[in-house]
């Protein structure tokens, strides 16, 4: 019996519902019989077993071999992945956007950049102390500080609320996740210039699969590719619209040449043209083109100008390109 693909999804937190919503929108609804159950299935992909894990554990689960692929925040992934591991980002998913930033008390009017923090850390060291930085992301924070010339500091790891650390006196600076900066401001903190450590979003991450068609990974790779390709095609579709208009012409070739002479309405590969069959419809053709989102209104207007009538616009659920880019990252 072939091994199932083990997909790890966040069990709670900011990414939990958004991940389920994405899977559902992709036609890959996750069926969880009981909210207390930590396993589920995807009927559209019978070779996949879903497990729900803490977001902070998903990368580790993949690297240790108890999961094959998962959805996790890019910040969590980069913080916890091994330097010598082969886990990689397969797709950026476009939700759960946030930033990991450096912030200092807004009363520090002379500190506005990481360069100022570097100078400040030297002053602390001269007094026999270190600049204390509270964070849940010690690896990313340390790398950012060292790469920006801040050499004298100590990291204060905390699983609680970081914004109160300076006020409570157990840290001088914080490196924390924020979406809008509102919580930082409400706690009298300000972001510093060059203090954005990473801009993060939810990602599909995976171990590396062996692409040998006779190898032990063949069934899991097939399921992983199907999963990734459905998500990739659904995300790609967000950038496109399908436009259909009725146009008069002598024949389909004439209408096609006319459409191709107008770049705004030529579509991705050219128009699809079919005869309209109805009473008094001789010489009429239905023209369908796929255009990028930013070209939607210009394309509709140009279709009108060249005689297009009854223009309708729809949103495709999927756009499959000639190659699945995610597949290349899986192997």
């Amino acid at each position: 019996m072939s091994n199932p693909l083990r997909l790890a999804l966040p069990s709670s937190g900011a990414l939990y519902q958004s991940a389920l919503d994405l899977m559902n929108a992709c036609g890959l609804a996750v069926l969880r019989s009981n909210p207390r159950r930590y396993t589920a299935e995807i009927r559209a992909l019978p070779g996949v077993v879903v497990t729900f894990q803490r977001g902070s554990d998903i990368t580790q689960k993949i690297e240790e071999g108890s999961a094959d692929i998962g959805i996790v925040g890019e910040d969590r992934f980069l913080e916890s992945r091994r330097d010598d591991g082969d886990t990689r980002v397969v797709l950026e998913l476009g939700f759960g956007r946030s930033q990991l930033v450096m912030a200092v008390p807004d009363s520090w009017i002379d500190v506005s950049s990481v360069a100022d923090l570097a100078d400040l850390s030297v002053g602390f060291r001269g007094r026999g102390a270190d600049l204390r930085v509270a964070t849940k992301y010690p690896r990313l924070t340390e790398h950012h500080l060292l790469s920006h010339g801040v050499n004298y500091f100590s990291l204060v790891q905390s699983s609680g609320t970081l914004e109160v650390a300076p006020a409570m006196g157990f840290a001088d600076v914080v490196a924390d996740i924020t979406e809008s900066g509102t919580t930082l401001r409400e706690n009298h903190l300000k972001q510093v210039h060059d203090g954005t450590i990473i801009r993060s979003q939810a990602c599909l991450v995976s171990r590396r699969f062996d692409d040998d068609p006779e190898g032990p990974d063949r069934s899991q790779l097939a399921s992983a590719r199907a999963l990734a390709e459905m998500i990739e095609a659904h995300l790609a579709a967000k950038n496109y619209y399908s436009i259909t208009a009725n146009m008069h012409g002598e024949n389909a070739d004439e209408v096609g040449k006319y459409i191709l002479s107008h770049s705004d309405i030529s579509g991705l590969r050219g128009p699809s043209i079919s005869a309209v069959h109805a009473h008094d419809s001789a010489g009429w053709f239905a023209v369908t083109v796929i255009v990028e989102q930013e070209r939607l209104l210009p394309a509709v207007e140009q279709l009108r100008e060249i005689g297009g009538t009854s223009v309708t616009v729809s949103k495709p659920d999927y756009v499959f390109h000639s190659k699945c880019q995610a597949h290349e990252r899986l192997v």
Side-chain angles (χ1 to χ4, degrees), residues 298-313:
V300 169
E301 188 59 33
Q302 198 161 74
L303 279 169
R304 287 170 172 165
E305 290 176 358
I306 64 174
T309 63
S310 304
V311 180
T312 61
V313 177

Side-chain angles (χ1 to χ4, degrees), residues 14 31 71 78 80 87 91 123-124 131 144 153 161 211 220 254 290:
L31 303 178
I71 292 178
L78 294 177
S80 56
T87 308
L91 286 170
F124 273 62
L131 184 71
H144 187 80
F153 61 90
T161 302
D211 62 350
Q220 292 172 312
E254 179 190 69
I290 305 294

